[in-house]
Amino acid sequence: MKLVTRAIVNFVSIFGAVITLTSLYNLLKPEASTYYIDIFILSLCFFILSPWSVRMASGASWRPAVMLIIVSAILVPPTLSFLVALPGLIRITYQSKDHWRKYLLTFGHIGLGLAAGGSIFYLFNSGGAIEFSTPLKMIPLLLGILVHFVVNRLISFFIVANKTGKDFKKQAISMLREIHWGYLNLYLTSLFTIIAFKEIGYLALLLSLFLLMGIFKSTIYYTKMQQLQNTVYIDALTQVENRASWEAFKHQMDVNPCTGTLSMIDLDNFKELNDTLGHSEGDKILKETASFIHHSLRNCDRIFRYGGDEFIVFMPHDNEAGFEFEGKMERLTSDLNEHFKHLQVSVSASIGCTLYSGNDSFKASLLEADKQMYLAKAQRKLLDKKLKQKVLI
């Protein structure tokens, strides 16, 4: 899947170069002069608003200036609409101080959304006239806006997944969860601007820009509140759930039990690694451990950093599947230890598992998992000692 993701990102970059050159060429044609004023005004507004953005937890950005791109996809033919975004995109990319390839990727990302949305509108509305005398005549407009949203989000999934190295499916799920009322309001504002433009022209655009400012401020507040909430229940170092989240989960399980496998994972020789290589290397191992476990679990599973180098995993399932999930966790730990060997670090993981049936105390199940983990740790130390003795002999 990573090869597919990289190939799609490369295609988007190539498309960015193509749409930039073809749009500039089309601008020189005599028939393009009809749209010079529209392109100039929309482009100027987009250039001014383009730095406004909200960075989401998934790595994607929400930009209110996208409204102007959506409007331009309808008001300006697909052969020219990309020129509205071009100056603002150059400004955004220049300020990010990225590699020159980033320009082409950004151009392709926005250009594909514009081309897809605008082409759908003009395909079902050959004259390009904005006509809303009947509900049926609004279908091309609604389809164009919907297609722009889908294509724009889809490309964002691939770009961020390629940048972060995450699995595409998990990246997509993460970003879909971040689609909030700000997105809906953005597209609704675009729709109303296009409808009002037919009656009051650029006054509709001016009023929409003021509305856009309010949406932007509200989205910033919403995002900051969400980030603040995450700091309460998310471990700052490993980005998995923290001890406070575990305590809340434990209370929830006492009130409303759910059967599953409870596992305690502890890192062996972690203190020695910290003392030898320093805390920065220790932090890297903790982050690597949390990431490896997290990406090996299902969406319904929970992982907590219990404290120090200890992690707790809870995998919900029916009582009958207990042995199957215990085996899964032991294989996960074995794979994690192989991963440590690949990283060439003298750390290993020990695990203790227990089945929580929902009938006993959840605290008692945790103590049992902890006991099993220490037994596994003792067995590993005994095995290592015997291997060393054999080597000496």
Side-chain angles (χ1 to χ4, degrees), residues 136-317:
L136 282 176
K137 290 186 176 180
M138 286 190 67
I139 291 176
L141 173 61
L142 295 173
L143 275 176
I145 291 176
L146 178 63
V147 167
H148 175 274
F149 173 76
V150 172
V151 171
N152 189 272
R153 287 292 87 199
L154 191 61
I155 296 170
S156 291
F157 297 161
F158 281 109
I159 290 175
V160 179
N162 184 64
K163 185 178 179 180
T164 59
K166 290 182 181 177
D167 176 71
F168 171 76
K169 184 180 177 182
K170 290 185 177 180
Q171 181 63 48
I173 292 169
S174 174
M175 291 173 68
L176 283 171
R177 285 173 179 166
E178 291 177 341
I179 295 176
H180 47 70
W181 285 101
Y183 281 99
L184 177 62
N185 288 335
L186 184 70
Y187 279 83
L188 283 175
T189 304
S190 304
L191 178 64
F192 295 147
T193 303
I194 294 164
I195 294 172
F197 190 86
K198 186 176 186 296
E199 301 297 331
I200 58 177
Y202 282 102
L203 180 59
L205 182 65
L206 181 65
L207 293 172
S208 296
L209 290 176
F210 281 109
L211 179 60
L212 205 59
M213 290 171 66
I215 295 171
F216 178 67
K217 294 292 183 183
S218 300
T219 304
I220 287 178
Y221 176 78
Y222 165 85
T223 305
K224 284 183 177 178
M225 288 298 292
Q226 192 175 43
Q227 289 171 345
L228 184 63
Q229 188 178 19
N230 283 343
T231 60
V232 177
Y233 291 111
I234 300 297
D235 180 62
L237 177 65
T238 59
Q239 295 301 302
V240 298
E241 294 181 77
N242 60 14
R243 182 67 176 264
S245 182
W246 163 254
E247 294 298 333
F249 177 71
K250 189 170 66 171
H251 175 72
Q252 175 192 337
M253 292 295 283
D254 287 334
V255 176
N256 187 21
C258 171
T259 60
T261 295
L262 183 64
S263 306
M264 176 76 81
I265 300 172
D266 183 76
L267 299 184
D268 307 326
N269 304 321
F270 181 74
K271 185 179 182 302
E272 289 81 354
L273 181 139
N274 249 347
D275 295 340
T276 307
L277 301 178
H279 288 283
S280 60
E281 288 301 315
D283 288 348
K284 286 181 184 177
I285 295 301
L286 288 173
K287 287 193 283 187
E288 194 69 35
T289 303
S291 177
F292 188 94
I293 297 172
H294 177 71
H295 286 103
S296 302
L297 300 177
R298 303 169 301 171
N299 291 330
C300 61
D301 299 331
R302 305 281 292 271
I303 172 174
F304 307 86
R305 185 184 177 193
Y306 189 64
D309 58 346
E310 288 184 318
F311 296 88
I312 295 175
V313 174
F314 183 77
M315 304 176 78
H317 57 75

Side-chain angles (χ1 to χ4, degrees), residues 83-97:
L83 296 172
V84 170
L86 185 58
L89 296 179
I90 292 172
R91 181 184 183 185
I92 294 167
T93 313
Y94 176 77
Q95 288 177 340
S96 67
K97 302 186 185 303

Side-chain angles (χ1 to χ4, degrees), residues 305-372:
R305 185 184 177 193
Y306 189 64
D309 58 346
E310 288 184 318
F311 296 88
I312 295 175
V313 174
F314 183 77
M315 304 176 78
H317 57 75
D318 295 335
N319 277 332
E320 293 76 13
F323 287 112
E324 177 190 343
F325 279 85
E326 186 175 335
K328 282 184 178 180
M329 285 306 301
E330 287 178 352
R331 286 192 297 274
L332 186 154
T333 309
S334 178
D335 292 341
L336 177 60
N337 286 329
E338 287 299 317
H339 185 60
F340 287 144
K341 288 179 183 178
H342 177 71
L343 294 175
Q344 297 182 337
V345 291
S346 57
V347 173
S348 58
S350 296
I351 187 170
C353 299
T354 187
L355 174 66
Y356 176 65
S357 63
N359 299 321
D360 302 326
S361 161
F362 194 62
K363 183 179 178 181
S365 295
L366 177 64
L367 291 173
E368 179 60 26
D370 193 51
K371 177 184 173 183
Q372 294 298 325

Side-chain angles (χ1 to χ4, degrees), residues 266-268 350 372-381:
D266 183 76
L267 299 184
D268 307 326
S350 296
Q372 294 298 325
M373 184 266 292
Y374 276 106
L375 283 173
K377 189 185 286 283
Q379 288 174 354
R380 179 180 290 276
K381 285 182 179 179

